[in-house]
Amino acid sequence: MNSMPPLQAVIGLGNPGDEYAETRHNAGFWCVDALARHAGLGFRTDPRLHGETCRLAMGASSVWLFKPQTYMNHSGRAVGALASYYRIAPEAILVVHDDLDLPPGTVRLKQGGGHGGHNGLRDIIGQLGGDFLRLRIGIGHPGHRDQVVGYVLHRPSREERTQIDDAISRAQAVFPDILAGRLSSAMQTLNTPEPSADGR
């Protein structure tokens, strides 16, 4: 996996509405918002696509940033509309999402796979299959599966939010590689564990 065709769409997952804006499940929104903000861009609503879009140029590459406005469980409806309208293949899509299996402060890039219990991914896979890229932003796990729904729909602690924002910043730093299809380089940077404070 030394290179891939350049991406055409980066999709952040989350739930629309002020009541969900700061909840853990919206980490995907936070990431694409950060990318747009850094570039001085604003999102606009596109009713045809059931979402909000803007166009990001980075170096020689340009890509759609997209936030579905269908609620998480129906993300596939919006992502399918975007892919159909712009004729974007699944392999040219990166989905950014929260991940219970990673601790806050962790971010990982992977290609393909299952949904891992994530309802947004489940719905997108139902529309497109599973061949798209994923940027997984760790939010931690509450410890028991019965607590998951309440956990993802609540705000992280201040410390956790700082850790999540730090992870998003690290992802931003490698986006030129991701957008250009240099996935091995991006994965090596993001997927290599950082040394602990004592150097181990």
Side-chain angles (χ1 to χ4, degrees):
M1 191 189 301
N2 292 325
S3 64
M4 288 284 291
L7 290 179
Q8 296 182 53
V10 178
I11 298 165
L13 298 189
N15 286 305
D18 291 342
E19 67 268 38
Y20 297 110
E22 299 301 321
T23 63
R24 293 179 176 94
H25 225 10
N26 276 35
F29 276 10
W30 300 344
C31 186
V32 294
D33 281 339
L35 287 169
R37 188 167 55 247
H38 184 73
L41 301 173
F43 285 87
R44 62 177 180 83
T45 299
D46 191 331
R48 299 167 302 179
L49 308 180
H50 316 291
E52 297 180 352
T53 65
C54 65
R55 187 73 170 169
L56 173 68
M58 186 175 287
S61 303
S62 62
V63 66
W64 289 108
L65 300 182
F66 186 61
K67 297 193 296 183
Q69 299 294 295
T70 50
Y71 290 101
M72 184 69 80
N73 292 4
H74 303 288
S75 298
R77 179 185 178 200
V79 175
L82 178 82
S84 176
Y85 186 81
Y86 289 113
R87 299 181 180 179
I88 301 174
E91 295 83 2
I93 291 174
L94 171 66
V95 174
V96 188
H97 64 92
D98 59 297
D99 197 306
L100 288 160
D101 294 329
L102 298 174
T106 305
V107 58
R108 296 287 184 264
L109 180 65
K110 66 175 290 190
Q111 184 175 17
H115 56 72
H118 192 290
N119 288 330
L121 292 180
R122 179 186 283 113
D123 203 54
I124 294 170
I125 290 170
Q127 290 280 337
L128 302 182
D131 291 337
F132 51 90
L133 287 163
R134 298 101 185 278
L135 186 67
R136 305 162 60 204
I137 300 173
I139 61 168
H141 197 285
H144 195 283
R145 64 183 182 181
D146 291 343
Q147 299 173 316
V148 163
V149 172
Y151 181 78
V152 299
L153 294 179
H154 280 80
R155 293 170 177 247
S157 69
R158 182 177 298 179
E159 179 182 2
E160 289 172 340
R161 180 59 193 262
T162 297
Q163 292 170 330
I164 293 169
D165 287 343
D166 287 346
I168 289 172
S169 293
R170 292 200 303 278
Q172 280 184 269
V174 301
F175 251 86
D177 283 338
I178 296 175
L179 295 188
R182 297 187 294 269
L183 298 185
S184 291
S185 176
M187 286 181 177
Q188 183 175 4
T189 299
L190 294 180
N191 298 357
T192 301
E194 294 190 333
S196 61
D198 60 5
R200 290 183 296 179

